[in-house]
Amino acid sequence: MVKGATGLAVLAPCTYTPKDTPTDQAVPAPGTGTAGESSGGDADRRAPGRVLRGFRVAHVFDVSQTEGDPLPDIVPELLIGDAPAALWEALAAQVAAYGYTLTRADCGQANGITDPAARTVRVRPDVADAQAVKTLAHELAHIECGHTAEGYDYRGCRGRAEAEAESVAYIVTAWAGLDAGAYTVPYVAAWSAGKPDVVRAAAATVTAAARRILDHLDGAKSTEHPPGDGESASPAGPVAQPEGARVLATT
């Protein structure tokens, strides 16, 4: 560690296991085949349940603040394996509730693309079900967090927007029993500015958006935050592309 180096602020989730919650809480079973297909299997698989309490600000150090042999580059690793078919369907329903059409189509260099002008969400078709559902959660998070609303400078706030959307996706997939850490941690680290005030502001947005999504996944209709392009969330905004197109791409 370089002497005098100051740590960078990042979001660290705070979770706990409720004492009055049975450890055999039901979670969705993983599916097989393409995302959204019902695969059968053990639908009553059980796993201990943990609850997200919120986030705290933790401090880490950038590699530039360390001394010694160079570390290998760490890049997001695409998720592999199956995903709960019911989770894809439930997230797709939330996307549709906002008036967006969901497709599996080529996204160029990105894993997913949200186009507010065309009201479309695309997820690349050549990834495993687990990655596809995480990307879908990420794109839905862009909408829930207000990143697709009119008048916001996505380019100017892209780092925060991407960190928020990916953090929400991590919470949603963790709720379903999927571990997206190998993708999320490097992704958020790459986009996060590490500023305490920005991190704290992002924590509030992430927590609120994740809870709204999970409320719907739990079957509880949210009356406090109805669908409508995430007006109630702290936005980071859409990117202004040539000819006025506003597209959010998830790399």
Side-chain angles (χ1 to χ4, degrees):
M1 190 66 57
V2 176
K3 184 177 181 180
T6 302
L8 303 176
V10 298
L11 292 178
C14 301
T15 61
Y16 69 99
T17 301
K19 294 182 179 179
D20 57 349
T21 299
T23 57
D24 64 346
Q25 180 179 358
V27 298
T32 58
T34 58
E37 287 185 344
S38 177
S39 62
D42 183 7
D44 293 321
R45 184 171 62 88
R46 305 280 171 167
R50 293 188 64 80
V51 177
L52 175 71
R53 186 189 298 275
F55 290 84
R56 62 183 175 86
V57 176
H59 290 84
V60 298
F61 291 87
D62 184 76
V63 65
S64 64
Q65 298 172 296
T66 62
E67 298 175 326
D69 295 334
L71 297 175
D73 290 336
I74 301 177
V75 297
E77 297 180 11
L78 294 178
L79 277 64
I80 59 175
D82 301 325
L87 178 58
W88 173 273
E89 294 166 355
L91 294 175
Q94 293 187 49
V95 169
Y98 279 108
Y100 284 75
T101 299
L102 172 64
T103 60
R104 297 293 297 274
D106 179 67
C107 298
Q109 299 298 315
N111 293 323
I113 295 176
T114 296
D115 186 341
R119 307 295 284 184
T120 60
V121 170
R122 277 185 285 161
V123 175
R124 59 184 287 193
D126 58 341
V127 292
D129 288 1
Q131 177 64 39
V133 80
K134 189 214 67 68
T135 297
L136 179 56
H138 180 111
E139 301 308 322
L140 173 60
H142 273 308
I143 302 171
E144 279 285 358
C145 290
H147 304 157
T148 58
E150 286 285 353
Y152 295 106
D153 180 16
Y154 173 75
R155 290 197 180 201
C157 303
R158 189 178 182 188
R160 174 177 165 179
E162 291 300 330
E164 287 177 350
E166 185 60 26
S167 296
V168 172
Y170 178 83
I171 295 170
V172 171
T173 51
W175 173 88
L178 297 175
D179 182 6
Y183 187 98
T184 297
V185 172
Y187 190 95
V188 172
W191 284 109
S192 175
K195 298 178 180 179
D197 55 339
V198 174
V199 172
R200 291 189 182 96
T205 301
V206 167
T207 302
R211 283 174 175 164
R212 288 195 297 272
I213 292 174
L214 294 179
D215 279 348
H216 286 82
L217 294 181
D218 281 332
K221 184 176 181 181
S222 174
T223 57
E224 186 175 354
H225 300 288
D229 262 343
E231 293 94 337
S232 59
S234 300
V239 59
Q241 296 285 359
E243 299 180 1
R246 299 182 294 114
V247 180
L248 289 74
T250 303
T251 55

